[in-house]
């Protein structure tokens, strides 16, 4: 009986090995079917997928930009529509709470603060209400930095001699550049810094978590600072 089981097992292994040697034809695979193509004609910046814009279920877009053609926003649901439906969204839009009133707003790569409207502005219900361009830097991620319950945006992390800049959210954050908190680099040796987190602790002290290395890419450190 043991010999029969061994023979059957060897037969299965041999059959699997033979199947594995057969070339796989994926020419008809629908996963690789070209649905559409478009000539961009210039270098493409990284694309951003933004689902449920303004909380509208199914209103999903791809946002991006090229050097030559500028910004574009394509709708993806129920199909990919390469008609440029709106140029104001730009690339890398981040959720943001500008006024403390739902729904949330967006901050794009040009520093425009975009408010969701009631949908009368078609096809994309967004309206520019403020700008922090020139003082905020490039958006990196959204989080409640100061712990006041309103969503802020961290910008330009590690660039321009600064650790980070924060676009404050909420009804008392002000307008334009008044929203910006600029956090300088910690003093000390020449460093290449990457800000991992910046927040206000429960004790009321501001803390900065950074990954640092010197100009020779040596001596990597994870540094936690108290910012007073």
């Amino acid at each position: 009986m043991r010999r029969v089981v061994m023979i059957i097992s060897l037969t299965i292994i041999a059959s699997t090995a033979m199947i594995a040697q057969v070339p796989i034809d994926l020419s008809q695979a629908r996963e690789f079917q070209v649905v559409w193509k478009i000539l961009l004609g210039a270098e493409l910046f990284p694309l951003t997928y933004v689902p449920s814009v303004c909380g509208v279920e199914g209103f999903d877009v791809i946002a991006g930009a090229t050097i030559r053609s500028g910004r574009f926003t394509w709708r993806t649901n129920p199909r990919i529509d390469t008609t440029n439906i709106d140029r104001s969204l730009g690339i890398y839009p981040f959720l943001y709470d500008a006024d403390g009133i739902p729904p949330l707003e967006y901050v794009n790569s040009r520093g425009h603060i975009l408010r969701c409207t009631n949908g009368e502005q078609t096809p994309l219900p967004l309206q520019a209400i403020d700008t922090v361009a020139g003082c905020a830097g490039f958006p990196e991620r959204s989080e409640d930095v100061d712990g006041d319950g309103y969503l802020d945006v961290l910008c330009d992390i590690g660039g321009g001699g600064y650790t980070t800049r924060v676009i404050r959210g909420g009804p008392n954050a002000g307008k334009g550049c008044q929203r910006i908190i600029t956090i300088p680099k910690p003093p000390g040796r020449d460093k290449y810094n990457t800000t991992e987190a910046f927040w206000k602790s429960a004790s009321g002290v501001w803390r900065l978590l950074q990954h640092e290395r010197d100009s020779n890419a040596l001596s990597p450190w994870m540094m936690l600072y108290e910012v007073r």
Side-chain angles (χ1 to χ4, degrees):
M1 183 64 180
R2 181 179 298 176
R3 181 178 297 179
V4 173
V5 173
M6 183 177 295
I7 292 174
I8 293 175
S9 300
L10 291 173
T11 302
I12 293 174
I13 293 172
S15 301
T16 304
M18 290 177 63
I19 293 173
Q21 294 175 3
V22 177
I24 301 174
D25 182 12
L26 296 178
S27 61
Q28 302 301 317
R30 291 189 59 83
E31 287 83 357
F32 302 109
Q33 181 179 0
V34 177
V35 179
W36 58 268
K37 59 182 180 180
I38 183 170
L39 180 63
L40 295 173
E43 180 183 352
L44 177 67
F45 291 96
L47 299 175
T48 303
Y49 175 67
V50 189
S52 301
V53 176
C54 295
V56 179
E57 188 69 26
F59 198 91
D60 308 330
V61 303
I62 294 176
T66 67
I67 293 177
R68 182 179 302 175
S69 304
R71 301 177 307 282
F72 58 81
T73 305
W74 297 331
R75 191 169 184 174
T76 66
N77 194 342
R79 62 184 179 85
I80 296 180
D81 184 359
T82 58
T83 302
N84 198 355
I85 59 177
D86 193 278
R87 291 181 178 270
S88 66
L89 188 59
I91 57 177
Y92 294 128
F94 286 84
L95 281 172
Y96 170 71
D97 193 351
D99 50 14
I101 303 173
L104 294 174
E105 288 74 35
Y106 291 89
V107 176
N108 67 9
S109 61
R110 295 175 62 85
H112 296 158
I113 297 176
L114 307 171
R115 171 176 290 166
C116 301
T117 67
N118 57 10
E120 294 179 355
Q121 294 184 2
T122 57
L124 193 63
L126 289 174
Q127 177 185 10
I129 60 172
D130 197 4
T131 180
V132 289
C135 57
F138 199 86
E140 294 286 348
R141 65 175 180 267
S142 300
E143 62 184 64
D144 182 6
V145 173
D146 50 13
D148 62 354
Y150 302 109
L151 199 60
D152 314 304
V153 175
L154 271 70
C155 298
D156 196 25
I157 293 177
Y162 296 96
T163 292
T164 189
R165 298 183 178 105
V166 181
I167 304 177
R168 296 187 61 201
N172 300 318
K175 293 288 186 179
C177 292
Q178 295 177 15
R179 297 179 182 270
I180 303 302
I181 304 174
T182 300
I183 311 300
K185 287 184 179 180
R189 61 184 174 83
D190 182 29
K191 305 182 185 75
Y192 287 86
N193 302 337
T194 302
T195 300
E196 302 295 339
F198 176 68
W199 74 99
K200 192 174 185 178
S201 69
S203 62
V205 177
W206 292 87
R207 289 194 168 93
L208 172 68
L209 181 65
Q210 289 201 150
H211 176 251
E212 300 180 359
R213 59 184 177 85
D214 61 22
S215 57
N216 295 319
L218 301 174
S219 303
W221 296 88
M222 186 65 71
M223 304 292 293
L224 177 62
Y225 296 94
E226 286 191 357
V227 183
R228 298 185 180 273

